[in-house]
Amino acid sequence: MSRVKRGVTAHAKHKKVYKDAKGFRGRRKNTIRAAKAATDKAKQYAFIGRKLKKRTFRALWIQRLNAAVRPFGMTYSVFINGLAKSGVVVDRKVLSDLAIHEPAAFQAIAEKAKAALAA
């Protein structure tokens, strides 16, 4: 009877882990136990990071808008309230982009929000 050679499945699994651990330092890249633990943790950080990215960018847009509306004598919260009252439906990302790249268009929106507050 011929001998059964094993380890094909295990080798394939290990190869997948080593591929994910490429670029890690020390034993974490070439020892299966360390590499598995490191890649598992890296995947957890990546998952959390994808959620945090959304919060971080929204906070950045809000900070930019707050800075952009200050010259018009408003704060961010007053500006957003004015936009709601005037019926302008533009999200913070687009408003922030307008404030940076199209100051004239942003000024028109800010004036519209200010006028809605005065009325």
Side-chain angles (χ1 to χ4, degrees), residues 31-98:
T31 306
I32 193 60
R33 270 192 192 172
K36 182 125 179 61
T39 55
D40 286 350
K41 194 65 177 174
K43 288 175 183 175
Q44 287 175 2
Y45 284 135
F47 181 85
I48 292 165
R50 286 194 298 274
K51 309 300 168 200
L52 287 173
K53 184 180 173 184
K54 295 164 182 61
R55 296 180 214 168
T56 308
F57 269 100
R58 186 180 168 95
L60 175 68
W61 300 327
I62 288 171
Q63 287 175 343
R64 285 179 176 170
L65 285 175
N66 195 16
V69 296
R70 289 297 171 117
F72 303 111
M74 290 186 281
T75 61
Y76 165 77
S77 61
V78 170
F79 174 64
I80 292 296
N81 186 26
L83 285 181
K85 285 183 178 174
S86 66
V88 176
V89 184
V90 184
D91 66 352
R92 286 153 184 82
K93 179 182 179 180
V94 173
L95 284 169
S96 172
D97 199 46
L98 279 175

Side-chain angles (χ1 to χ4, degrees), residues 1-8:
M1 189 187 254
S2 60
R3 170 169 89 96
V4 176
K5 293 183 75 178
R6 301 168 41 120
V8 176

